[in-house]
Each structure stands twice: as C-alpha cells, then as structure tokens.
Amino acid sequence: MATMAAMAASMSRSLLSIHNKLSTTSLLHCTNTNLFSIQIPKTPKNPKFISTIRSLQSAQQAVNPQNQDMGIARRPNVVDILEERGLLESITSENLRSACSNPNPNLAPLRVYCGFDPTAESLHLGNLLGLIVLSWFQRCGHKTVALIGGATARIGDPSGKTLERPELDSETLEKNTFGIAGSINSILGRCSEEKILNLNSNVGSEENPVWNSNFVVLNNFDWWKEVRLLDFLKKVGRFARVGTMVAKESVKKRLESEQGMSYTEFTYQLLQGYDFLYLFENEGVNVQIGGSDQWGNITAGTELIRKILQVEGAYGLTFPLLLKSDGTKFGKSEDGAIWLSPLMLSPYKFYQYFFSVPDADVVRFLKILTFLSLEEIRELDKEMKRPGYVPNSLQRRLAEEVTRFVHGEDGLAEALRATEALRPGAETSLDWKTIEGIAQDVPSCSLAYDQVLDVSVIDLSVSTGLLDSKSAARRLIKQGGLYFNNNRVENEGKKIESGDIVDGKILLLSAGKKNKMVVRIS
C-alpha cells in the first residue's frame, strides 16, 4: 500500500514538473487590434493530461483515505456552495460535483469560463451573476476565464430574444470590448487579490509580463478571424444534428414567432459550442457557466467536445436568471439598465438601486449577490423580523456588499459619502464636488446668478421644475418636506442669499427624500 502511494505521488510530481515548464501564451486581444494582453501559464492542449492528473489524485485518495486527517486541506466544493445559495440551476453531469471535491488544492484546479457578448460599452446587472459565479470558483481555488464575444456579438444570441439584434460595426465592437474588458479586470482582479491588468502599459512584453494566476480575459474574435467556412463545416458542421439544433428551446420559440429566425442566428449555438471546443482543446478549460437561458448553447459545446475529440470531462453549469419575487426581471430601473461601469452609472446611483430592493427580495439577494456567510445572512433575516428593526437595514447591507464587489472600496466610499451628504436633514456639510458628482443621476438645470439671488425658495422650486405649482410648494413646506441644501424650509418667505450658494457654484433642492433638483449657477 505504501509503495502504491509513493508511485502515485512520484508520477504526480513528474506531471506537475512538466506542467510548470510549459510556455506562456498571449490570451487577450481587442477586436482587430492588440490593445492589451495577459500572460498565463499555458495548459497542455491534450485534455487527457487533466484526466491523468485526476486519476492520480483518485489513486492517492484510495491509497490513503486518511489524507484529510493528516492535515491536507480540502478545496471547498463550489457546486455545493452555489446550490446552497440558490445559484445552481442545472449541471450537465454530477461528475462536475465530484471534480470539485479534489482533496488536494494544489493539484489540477478546474478552468471555468463565462461568455459576455460586447453588445454595449458596459456590462449590466443581468451579467452580474456570471461574474459572481466566476468569483465563487476563484474563491474555491479554480481558474476562471471571462470570454468576450468579439466574434459572436456580430451574430447575436437569439436566446430570450424576440427580434434579431441590430448589426454592430467593427469600431463599436472594439469600443465595447475595451470597456467591458476593463470592468471585468477591475472586478475579478479585486477578487483574486492579484495584479490587475494595466490598460495603459506595454502589456505582454518581455520587459513587462502582466499575467494573473486566477483569471484571464479572452476575445473569441482572436480565433474566429482565422476560421474558414469550409474548414468549419468539415470539422464542426458534420457533427451537428439539425434535429437537435431545432429542438433547442430558444430556437423553437423563435421559429414559432411571427418574426421567425435567420440562418445567421440559427448558427449561434454552433459558434458558442465551438468556443468551448477551442478552449477545451487549446487552453484546458473544462467548465462553461451561464444563465439558465444558455443551457442549449452550453450543451452544444459539451456535445461537440464529446463527438469531435472523443473525450469526456467537459461540463456545463447554469444559474437562475436574476428575477424578483413576482417573477419580473431584476436589472431595470425607471431610467433603464443598471450598468456596472461607473462611467455609465455612478456608484451612488448603483448603491441607491440596491438600497431600494423590497423586503420580500432582500434576503434572497443577500444569498446570491453577496459573499456573506449563510450563517450571517440567517441572523440578518432573524433581525429583520424582530421588534424594533430599523427599516432598510438589510437593504443597506446588500447595497454596501454589492457596490463593494462591483466598484471596490473607493466606489463604495463615494456612494456612502454622497448618500449621507444628500440625505435631507443630514448634518454633513455639502460641497460643490459632492453635489456635482450626482448631477448626472438626478434632474438638474442651469440658471444665471441673477435668476437665483433674492428669489424665494418657492419660486425657485417651481421655475426649476421640482414642483408643479407654488401651492404645491407651500403645502410641502407645511408638511415639513421641502429642503434647501438639506435644510428643512420652515418659512415660506425664505429667499436665496449669496451665502446659500454652495462654493458659489451650485444649489440643491429636495422634495421629500427622493425627488431632488441640482441647480448649477452660471
């Protein structure tokens, strides 16, 4: 028995030594031009290498089942974690759960990818679960890949869509790709606590090798631009069964609709399937994740790997779509999509959106959108049901955790600073920078200095459009709901003085807690 253990350990060390000597490869390029790249240790092209490692690990377990008692740390099972938190919809095989139970965290972590088509310059709330699930794989010691669909975005995924997506030109795709890659690097880079890609440096050169051991960002246009139609049909097309493709739920719905489906969109599942095949064969990626609407596209990939490479070990995992308790989509505000980029939605506005989550959804969202322990979430749930609970306390915690994940500590600090400063009745003194920082998120207007000075607050509330009439303003003053620079207006005759203009540049009017008007002084 001891001899078998020694042989298994020796073989494992030899294979790991070979693995560590493998060359690196450039993995990320923007559409058409190489704007940035990341270097990572390259996994062997032969996926049987991974199977060999797993076999050796299984042998070691069988030989020495007491390895846990001997102090070998067991990698947390990410599939079990996702299931407990409500983040698991389906998996293609229970073998994935077994693969995540590797007793030795130093051997053969999984490589997991999630795709993001660059149809906009920023990811939105609908993409957030993909990043969170990738982060859970990271936290459990696995490698993650965010795949930007510089090629597939030219086609358009029909899943969940009733109309064909409008065509995007190369310039727009490149701009969107760059923006999304920057956000992903910021978010997953913070999670990995590793060096984040510097978009302004000469990355990928011998003088400045930039790589991250926990995640990479790829662009599928890098391999699709070299693929010829006839070669694709020969290698992939002959393995695709039309009956199976038509039976996919996303295809059936579109074929039954009045608009129908173009051949271009019909091929999308093959393109995504080939992405998985390429990553499995060339980069050792063995798991694809996505929302529940991606099940057909994901299984297209696992089938191609099984038929073309004639190997097992490719898995798919889906998570539920982000929905409210009433079944409606979670991810739209009155003003539109909830963007993850601070250039398109400020951390303050992002924070406020989560602060407004209904009580019926807040506990579930704490489970799926944060990394708080389930024990702590259960305690928070009990706290919400106790007498004396301060309303929105759980929403505040949810908003803080999600904002920190997406925008980092600096973004959260900015959101909290603005939230406190802009709260009617707050003792925090206002400054021009704080008010200007939220001007893009609330209604605003510009008035000349002489249009403001010595004007009554009532008249200003009407002329700026905050309130419809002077009578409405007077009623609100009597109710104690009209605020000027966060100070409650007690006197109907209050007029604007020069000292009221914050830093000589700006004013803030508030009707209640939510309705605000920023007045810039020109």
Side-chain angles (χ1 to χ4, degrees):
M1 191 72 77
T3 302
M4 290 176 62
M7 290 175 60
S10 176
M11 291 174 66
S12 178
R13 284 194 297 272
S14 298
L15 284 171
L16 284 173
S17 176
I18 294 172
H19 175 70
N20 291 335
K21 293 178 181 177
L22 292 169
S23 61
T24 60
T25 185
S26 177
L27 291 181
L28 172 62
H29 306 283
C30 261
T31 310
N32 298 331
T33 56
N34 297 342
L35 295 182
F36 46 94
S37 62
I38 303 174
Q39 300 284 329
I40 66 165
K42 187 171 182 179
T43 301
K45 291 188 176 182
N46 184 1
K48 293 181 180 178
F49 178 91
I50 298 173
S51 300
T52 305
I53 287 288
R54 298 211 191 289
S55 297
L56 286 170
Q57 291 166 355
S58 298
Q60 288 174 320
Q61 281 183 276
V63 170
N64 190 2
Q66 292 84 23
N67 53 14
Q68 254 191 303
D69 298 332
M70 295 173 65
I72 298 178
R74 178 177 291 274
R75 179 182 289 124
N77 192 309
V78 64
V79 175
D80 290 344
I81 291 172
L82 296 175
E83 188 170 36
E84 289 172 351
R85 301 183 77 95
L87 282 169
L88 181 65
E89 180 83 12
S90 303
I91 53 177
T92 55
S93 170
E94 280 295 321
N95 289 337
L96 174 58
R97 196 188 301 268
S98 301
C100 291
S101 299
N102 187 338
N104 191 336
N106 297 315
L107 293 177
L110 297 172
R111 283 204 169 188
V112 186
Y113 96 91
C114 185
F116 305 92
D117 277 353
T119 54
E121 199 172 347
S122 168
L123 298 177
H124 54 79
L125 204 54
N127 306 121
L128 182 59
L129 280 187
L131 294 174
I132 286 175
V133 174
L134 282 180
S135 185
W136 272 115
F137 274 95
Q138 277 182 290
R139 290 161 190 258
C140 292
H142 302 288
K143 311 291 186 180
T144 57
V145 177
L147 180 65
I148 299 181
T152 43
R154 298 163 186 256
I155 303 301
D157 184 1
S159 302
K161 304 293 187 298
T162 57
L163 295 174
E164 190 162 352
R165 283 179 176 173
E167 185 178 354
L168 299 175
D169 58 64
S170 297
E171 184 178 348
T172 300
L173 280 170
E174 186 172 299
K175 182 180 179 183
N176 293 350
T177 297
F178 192 88
I180 289 175
S183 292
I184 292 173
N185 272 287
S186 295
I187 295 171
L188 295 184
R190 281 191 297 268
C191 296
S192 64
E193 297 182 355
E194 295 283 343
K195 188 172 183 179
I196 301 176
L197 176 67
N198 181 357
L199 297 177
N200 298 315
S201 66
N202 182 23
V203 296
S205 67
E206 292 181 0
E207 296 78 15
N208 183 27
V210 180
W211 58 277
N212 188 293
S213 61
N214 288 328
F215 82 99
V216 291
V217 182
L218 308 181
N219 184 350
N220 65 7
F221 186 75
D222 285 344
W223 52 85
W224 275 109
K225 66 185 178 184
E226 306 294 341
V227 176
R228 297 172 180 268
L229 176 61
L230 292 179
D231 293 337
F232 177 74
L233 292 176
K234 181 179 179 181
K235 181 176 181 179
V236 176
R238 65 193 184 97
F239 289 99
R241 301 294 90 185
V242 173
T244 302
M245 294 176 67
V246 172
K248 303 289 185 184
E249 192 64 29
S250 60
V251 175
K252 285 198 302 183
K253 288 184 178 179
R254 285 295 297 277
L255 291 177
E256 294 169 358
S257 70
E258 184 179 343
Q259 299 296 327
M261 171 182 276
S262 70
Y263 174 74
T264 300
E265 279 194 323
F266 182 61
T267 63
Y268 187 93
Q269 59 181 291
L270 283 186
L271 302 190
Q272 185 169 327
Y274 180 76
D275 282 341
F276 197 1
L277 172 67
Y278 180 91
L279 292 172
F280 184 92
E281 188 175 19
N282 292 277
E283 305 301 340
V285 174
N286 41 15
V287 182
Q288 181 183 176
I289 67 168
S292 57
D293 59 345
Q294 292 297 305
W295 179 255
N297 294 333
I298 291 174
T299 53
T302 56
E303 282 299 296
L304 286 179
I305 291 169
R306 184 178 62 81
K307 291 178 179 178
I308 296 175
L309 301 181
Q310 297 184 356
V311 295
E312 301 295 335
Y315 306 109
L317 179 150
T318 60
F319 44 82
L321 298 180
L322 201 53
L323 301 175
K324 297 180 182 178
S325 55
D326 60 4
T328 58
K329 282 189 175 182
F330 180 71
K332 294 283 187 180
S333 70
E334 295 177 358
D335 302 321
I338 303 300
W339 302 107
L340 303 190
S341 169
L343 299 177
M344 298 182 68
L345 189 74
S346 72
Y348 163 76
K349 193 75 171 181
F350 185 85
Y351 176 95
Q352 290 299 318
Y353 180 77
F354 284 94
F355 188 76
S356 302
V357 166
D359 285 348
D361 293 315
V362 66
V363 172
R364 181 167 59 91
F365 287 161
L366 281 168
K367 290 179 181 178
I368 65 177
L369 297 177
T370 79
F371 299 91
L372 297 176
S373 69
L374 292 178
E375 290 76 16
E376 184 173 358
I377 293 173
R378 281 191 284 268
E379 284 302 314
L380 290 171
D381 187 20
K382 292 177 183 177
E383 180 183 321
M384 187 168 64
K385 298 170 183 175
R386 293 187 183 116
Y389 168 73
V390 178
N392 292 110
S393 293
L394 265 66
Q395 281 86 345
R396 181 177 294 106
R397 186 65 185 278
L398 173 68
E400 289 176 358
E401 294 296 326
V402 181
T403 304
R404 182 185 291 110
F405 176 73
V406 173
H407 294 293
E409 292 291 348
D410 290 344
L412 175 59
E414 176 187 330
L416 292 175
R417 188 165 54 248
T419 298
E420 175 59 24
L422 298 173
R423 179 173 56 85
E427 296 179 0
T428 306
S429 60
L430 289 174
D431 60 83
W432 167 78
K433 186 177 180 181
T434 299
I435 302 177
E436 185 63 36
I438 61 108
Q440 62 176 330
D441 302 319
V442 300
S444 62
C445 66
S446 295
L447 294 176
Y449 189 81
D450 58 5
Q451 291 179 292
V452 174
L453 194 64
D454 292 330
V455 174
S456 72
V457 174
I458 289 179
D459 288 340
L460 190 63
S461 299
V462 176
S463 64
T464 58
L466 177 69
L467 295 171
D468 295 331
S469 64
K470 293 181 181 181
S471 59
R474 292 190 181 96
R475 282 197 302 271
L476 196 59
I477 290 175
K478 290 180 180 179
Q479 296 167 358
L482 184 62
Y483 291 82
F484 170 63
N485 288 345
N486 282 347
N487 297 312
R488 181 179 281 114
V489 179
E490 308 281 358
N491 181 7
E492 292 184 8
K494 166 64 181 173
K495 292 187 177 183
I496 310 300
E497 301 174 11
S498 59
D500 293 326
I501 302 175
V502 178
D503 295 335
K505 298 179 179 180
I506 211 160
L507 294 170
L508 178 66
L509 294 171
S510 303
K513 293 182 178 180
K514 294 185 178 181
N515 298 325
K516 301 180 186 298
M517 175 65 67
V518 172
V519 184
R520 296 186 179 91
I521 310 301
S522 59

